Amino acid sequence: MRRLFHAPRILQKQAAGAATPRWQMNGFNRTPGATARPMTVRNLMGEIDGTNNPKPTDKDFNAKIFVPDKNGPQAWMNGGSYAVVRRIRMLLDPWDDLTTTEQEQVIGRRKSNGSPLSAPASTGTETTPVDLEKFTPDGSLAIPADAHIRVAAAQSNAGATILRRTFSYHDGYLPDGSPDAGLLFVCWRADPTTGFIQIQLKLDGSDHLTRFIRHESSAIFAVPGGAQPGEYVGQRLLEA
Ligand code: HEM
């Protein structure tokens, strides 16, 4: 964390006179090592958040997340990625008014351990694969049609996946007394049109969770690939 703080500070000092920061958002996450074993974090709604993310060991991970090498004017993005950053406020008062069972129906996973509702409560774990085809004995979908994990799933979005790396924020209270708190949502993808944009368009129309959140600001960043030996980050763009 300290190094992350230090890097933009040094950039800011060196760019003084030529560039100034226009805005900054502060988020937080659990410190690695704070739990006895590595555990997925919980967001401010109390949900385990970050389970179903592409993994670096997946065979198509690099192709999905990093921009492939090209020649020509866009070559400066080779090996880079696009980051979508959104400040999403949580409507925590109405959320807290739901029962745990209702909250689980909104997300599609159990609050206690993050297991998908398609798995039995007694044996399901956070890593039990999600079964979107599963029905309950009374004939309803185990994971409801408007549950967040169904609507956001790759199967519902022509295979679109994103690498989510989110932070929580809490910036005090709004004039009506409700918490000004939520998720600094950050996701990465080689091509945002086949990642975030595709998924968000679907969520907009049919995700139950949208009743409990407000997207307040949004930005997209082109992040160039790492520097080659002797180069600095972004050199191919800045000196083209
Ligand atoms: C405050 C806003 C949000 C909250 C509280 C939230 C919460 C969650 C939770 C609890 C899960 C289940 C655990 C997991 O797999 O990580 C999940 C999954 C997911 N979310 Fe969100 N999310 C939010 C916004 C978004 C947005 C804006 C997107 C994309 C546009 C998104 C995309 C996904 C995806 C792709 C999954 C995995 C679905 C799967 O199982 O395949 N989420 N989210």
Side-chain angles (χ1 to χ4, degrees):
M1 209 49 207
R2 167 75 186 139
R3 275 194 211 142
L4 280 179
F5 175 77
H6 192 61
R9 218 179 93 69
I10 294 301
L11 282 175
Q12 189 183 336
K13 275 182 86 168
Q14 293 187 347
T20 49
R22 294 179 65 189
W23 52 263
Q24 163 175 324
M25 290 193 287
N26 298 314
F28 57 89
N29 233 330
R30 191 173 51 219
T31 311
T35 50
R37 58 178 175 83
M39 288 166 78
T40 317
V41 294
R42 287 185 186 265
N43 61 36
L44 297 185
M45 286 173 153
E47 308 287 335
I48 294 178
D49 192 346
T51 305
N52 219 346
N53 251 329
K55 297 183 182 45
T57 46
D58 295 348
K59 67 176 185 335
D60 54 356
F61 181 84
N62 284 353
K64 283 187 165 155
I65 308 304
F66 297 109
V67 176
D69 285 357
K70 286 188 203 124
N71 293 319
Q74 288 166 8
W76 64 273
M77 268 302 282
N78 289 355
S81 189
Y82 291 90
V84 171
V85 180
R86 285 205 160 193
R87 179 185 154 106
I88 309 177
R89 184 159 55 89
M90 294 171 167
L91 307 184
L92 289 170
D93 290 332
W95 176 257
D96 291 341
D97 288 343
L98 299 182
T99 63
T100 301
T101 305
E102 286 167 338
Q103 292 177 347
E104 292 177 343
Q105 297 279 316
V106 172
I107 299 294
R109 287 183 177 272
R110 293 190 181 87
K111 199 162 184 179
S112 56
N113 64 357
S115 62
L117 296 183
S118 50
S122 52
T123 54
T125 67
E126 186 191 345
T127 53
T128 305
V130 174
D131 181 357
L132 295 176
E133 312 297 324
K134 179 88 180 203
F135 284 85
T136 59
D138 73 4
S140 29
L141 283 165
I143 297 174
D146 58 357
H148 181 65
I149 65 162
R150 174 185 292 281
V151 186
Q155 298 95 300
S156 310
N157 292 287
T161 49
I162 46 179
L163 178 64
R164 292 170 290 135
R165 286 283 182 266
T166 56
F167 299 84
S168 294
Y169 73 89
H170 191 183
D171 290 343
Y173 295 88
L174 295 170
D176 67 2
S178 59
D180 187 6
L183 202 65
L184 294 182
F185 176 90
V186 184
C187 75
W188 300 86
R189 172 81 189 190
D191 178 351
T193 57
T194 56
F196 174 81
I197 294 174
Q198 174 135 5
I199 300 171
Q200 182 56 45
L201 285 173
K202 178 64 84 61
L203 293 179
D204 254 1
S206 32
D207 179 16
H208 196 168
L209 185 62
T210 54
R211 293 191 207 163
F212 301 95
I213 57 178
R214 289 288 179 273
H215 291 244
E216 293 195 324
S217 44
S218 177
I220 180 163
F221 296 91
V223 182
Q228 303 292 327
E231 243 190 1
Y232 60 84
V233 174
Q235 184 169 359
R236 278 167 280 159
L237 169 67
L238 296 172
E239 295 184 15

